[in-house]
């Protein structure tokens, strides 16, 4: 099978620090949920922050410890069981979705509403064997494959993989001929399409 | 940096907290303090924990460029969350500093992005609740945290600074480059080097 594709260390560090744009962070989060190696690395990077916290120069607080806790009893927070749609990562649950909308033959998309994000976030579902249009980016296009697979100039991307494309990449993804592909995409900047399918994708990426 | 670290560890050792109400914590043992809050809402334990961690959370945020007033508010909210969620702390999963650092991250997102109605902290919480990271995991989270501390003492001052900014600054290497007055390519290569150094150390330990 394919080699697992994972985010760069810098991206995971920014993610672990809570420093990514929310839409981009969501694409990373879906991958982290599906990939145990990245999950371990995120936990390690969180531990790095714990170490930073221990080493930092303290800055005196002007408010005291007990100012606020009076109104807040120490309490257990039982977590409610979450209902996850099959094929949908749990990290998407806090967000609202649009309906699945066909944007071509055997291609459909569904917007994920991420208020405050500079990125457009959407799920994309493409039937077996479809070639997505050749395109370049002016910003980021970060993709987590939720099911199925696609392949392009930089390798084969299967369920759980992360495809971290930026302005340096241009590619022509081809969807797996048997399984098709569903993925979560976060996109910033513009996408420069070549070919007829690009026009179909225009409403999707607001060119 | 290494010296500063040693100093802070000493601080922690010396910060034995003779708590009002007759209790006495011989060492600063954050795990025990959190356990005391979870068990009985122990206010003395909370004061000791607050006095140690709130100024550090504030300091860390300010290092990342958060204004003092906002950093103070986030530090308050962070410790308030520690108070409310003490029962959820699992010392086998992570040490207290790591747990509190992730709470600070989430509260910072909630507060800094409150106008955008950000839900990102919920995303982190969902990931955090998700099952075991590796079925073959042989070391505990607490052990891993201790090893990471050891690995970080091997970073040069430059590397430490770049790693710090990678976590603390909004995601823009350009900003880091300007702040440190070094070329962007250098920031990226230093960051990669520092992270791969850490990663190498951690892999040795696996």
């Amino acid at each position: 099978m394919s080699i697992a594709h994972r985010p760069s260390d810098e991206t995971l560090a920014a993610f672990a620090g809570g420093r990514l744009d929310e839409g981009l962070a969501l694409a990373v989060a879906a991958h982290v949920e599906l990939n145990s190696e990245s999950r371990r690395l995120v936990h390690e990077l969180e531990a790095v922050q714990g170490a930073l916290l221990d080493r930092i120069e303290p800055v005196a607080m002007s408010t005291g410890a007990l100012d606020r806790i009076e109104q807040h009893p120490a309490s257990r927070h039982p977590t409610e069981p979450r209902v996850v749609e099959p094929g949908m990562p749990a990290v998407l649950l806090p967000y609202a979705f649009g309906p699945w909308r066909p944007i071509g033959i055997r291609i459909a998309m569904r917007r994920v509403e991420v208020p405050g994000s500079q990125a457009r976030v959407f799920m994309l579902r493409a039937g077996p064997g479809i070639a997505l249009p050749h395109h370049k980016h002016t910003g980021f296009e970060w993709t987590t494959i939720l099911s199925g697979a696609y392949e392009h100039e930089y390798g084969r991307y299967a369920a759980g993989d992360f495809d971290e494309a930026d302005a340096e990449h241009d590619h022509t993804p081809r969807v797996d001929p048997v399984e098709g592909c569903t993925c979560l995409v976060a996109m910033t900047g513009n996408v420069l399409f070549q070919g007829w399918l690009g026009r179909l994708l225009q409403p999707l990426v607001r060119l | 940096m290494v010296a500063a670290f040693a100093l802070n560890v000493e601080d922690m050792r010396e910060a034995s907290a003779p708590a009002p109400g007759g209790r006495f914590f011989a060492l600063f043992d954050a795990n025990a303090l959190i356990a005391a809050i979870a068990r009985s809402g122990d206010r003395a334990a909370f004061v000791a924990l607050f006095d140690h961690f709130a100024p550090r959370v504030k300091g860390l945020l300010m290092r990342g460029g958060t204004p003092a007033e906002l950093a103070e508010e986030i530090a308050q909210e962070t410790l308030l969350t520690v108070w409310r969620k003490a029962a959820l702390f699992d010392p086998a999963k992570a040490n207290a500093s790591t747990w509190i650092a992730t709470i600070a991250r989430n509260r910072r997102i909630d507060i800094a992005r409150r106008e955008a109605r950000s839900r990102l902290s919920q995303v982190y919480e969902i990931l955090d609740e998700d099952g075991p990271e590796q079925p073959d995991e042989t070391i505990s989270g607490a052990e891993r945290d201790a090893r990471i501390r050891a690995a970080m003492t091997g970073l040069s001052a430059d590397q430490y600074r770049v790693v710090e900014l990678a976590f603390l600054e909004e995601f823009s290497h350009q900003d880091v480059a300007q702040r440190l007055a070094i070329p962007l390519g250098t920031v990226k290569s230093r960051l990669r080097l520092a992270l791969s150094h850490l990663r190498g150390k951690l892999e040795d330990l696996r």
Side-chain angles (χ1 to χ4, degrees):
Chain A
M1 291 305 289
S2 60
I3 300 162
H5 295 279
R6 303 178 39 244
S8 64
D9 285 350
E10 305 92 280
T11 294
L12 280 182
F15 175 76
R19 296 290 168 172
L20 285 180
D21 171 273
E22 187 157 351
L24 295 176
L26 194 53
V28 176
H31 161 77
V32 170
E33 181 178 334
L34 296 169
N35 183 293
S36 59
E37 180 62 24
S38 287
R39 198 151 61 238
R40 174 162 70 182
L41 196 55
V42 166
H43 285 149
E44 288 172 356
L45 291 165
E46 288 174 344
V48 170
Q49 292 174 86
L52 293 175
L53 184 63
D54 283 342
R55 291 173 67 164
I56 199 74
E57 194 72 35
V59 176
M61 295 286 286
S62 53
T63 41
L66 298 173
D67 292 1
R68 300 278 311 283
I69 63 168
E70 307 293 338
Q71 316 91 294
H72 296 275
S75 61
R76 220 167 250 284
H77 284 254
T79 45
E80 286 169 29
R82 279 186 297 270
V83 184
V84 188
E85 271 182 55
M88 181 88 87
V91 291
L92 291 179
L93 283 173
Y95 297 91
F97 288 85
W100 279 108
R101 193 152 56 87
I103 54 166
I105 297 162
R106 297 193 297 141
I107 302 185
M109 64 82 69
R110 185 180 194 184
R111 287 195 67 83
V112 183
E113 305 298 337
V114 185
S117 173
Q118 301 297 307
R120 278 93 59 192
V121 184
F122 53 90
M123 289 171 80
L124 189 67
R125 190 170 65 195
I130 285 182
L132 295 172
H134 181 87
H135 61 281
K136 295 180 176 190
H137 307 281
T138 62
F140 296 108
E141 184 193 70
W142 289 2
T143 305
T144 290
I145 291 76
L146 303 176
S147 64
Y150 66 69
E151 203 172 321
H152 58 53
E153 291 83 340
Y154 301 91
R156 178 183 155 86
Y157 293 75
D161 279 347
F162 186 76
D163 188 356
E164 185 170 349
D166 60 25
E168 288 158 26
H169 297 78
D170 65 314
H171 54 217
T172 315
R174 180 171 293 278
V175 173
D176 184 275
V178 179
E179 301 174 73
C181 186
T182 302
C183 48
L184 177 71
V185 185
M187 204 182 255
T188 64
N190 288 312
V191 179
L192 312 171
F193 282 112
Q194 279 105 42
W196 61 273
L197 195 50
R199 288 196 300 277
L200 292 174
L201 289 169
Q202 276 187 5
L204 164 65
V205 296
R206 288 194 217 131
L207 287 178
Chain B
M1 280 307 178
V2 175
F5 181 45
L7 206 74
N8 281 347
V9 169
E10 283 313 306
D11 285 352
M12 287 173 71
R13 297 234 165 85
E14 284 164 20
S16 51
R23 304 272 304 280
F24 184 84
F25 300 99
L27 293 171
F28 182 83
D29 180 347
N31 288 2
L33 295 173
I34 297 170
I37 296 168
R39 207 168 40 240
S40 60
D42 187 325
R43 300 161 71 91
F46 181 72
V47 170
L49 207 61
F50 185 100
D51 287 349
H52 180 79
F53 280 109
R56 284 177 169 77
V57 170
K58 185 177 174 184
L60 199 62
L61 288 161
M62 288 177 67
R63 177 68 62 93
T66 303
E69 200 178 315
L70 188 60
E72 169 106 8
E73 182 188 355
I74 296 166
Q76 273 279 351
E77 289 295 322
T78 298
L79 272 294
L80 184 62
T81 303
V82 168
W83 167 256
R84 293 170 58 218
K85 295 197 170 179
L88 297 176
F89 173 61
D90 178 358
K93 243 171 103 181
N95 77 19
S97 301
T98 299
W99 185 60
I100 292 171
T102 59
I103 291 174
R105 170 195 66 198
N106 293 355
R107 292 293 80 79
R108 187 193 65 77
I109 291 170
D110 285 342
I111 292 169
R113 303 187 186 183
R114 119 181 93 193
E115 278 176 19
R117 291 173 293 122
S118 171
R119 298 172 174 93
L120 194 52
S121 68
Q122 294 175 51
V123 169
Y124 286 106
E125 279 160 17
I126 288 167
L127 281 181
D128 195 46
E129 290 158 17
D130 257 22
E133 44 198 85
Q134 288 277 18
D136 60 343
E137 193 77 0
T138 48
I139 66 164
S140 74
E143 213 176 317
R144 173 196 61 209
D145 285 14
R147 291 172 176 187
I148 282 168
R149 274 166 179 67
M152 284 181 70
T153 58
L155 293 177
S156 70
D158 277 353
Q159 285 175 332
Y160 188 89
R161 185 79 183 118
V162 170
V163 167
E164 205 173 37
L165 292 177
F167 288 101
L168 301 180
E169 296 267 334
E170 289 301 328
F171 182 63
S172 163
H173 295 134
Q174 190 65 54
D175 292 349
V176 175
Q178 278 168 8
R179 223 174 138 125
L180 299 180
I182 50 178
L184 180 59
T186 312
V187 170
K188 286 189 176 177
S189 61
R190 272 193 201 168
L191 179 56
R192 277 189 199 129
L193 203 67
L195 290 171
S196 75
H197 170 90
L198 277 181
R199 183 201 277 275
K201 288 266 186 190
L202 292 169
E203 268 158 17
D204 291 349
L205 296 164
R206 270 173 200 159

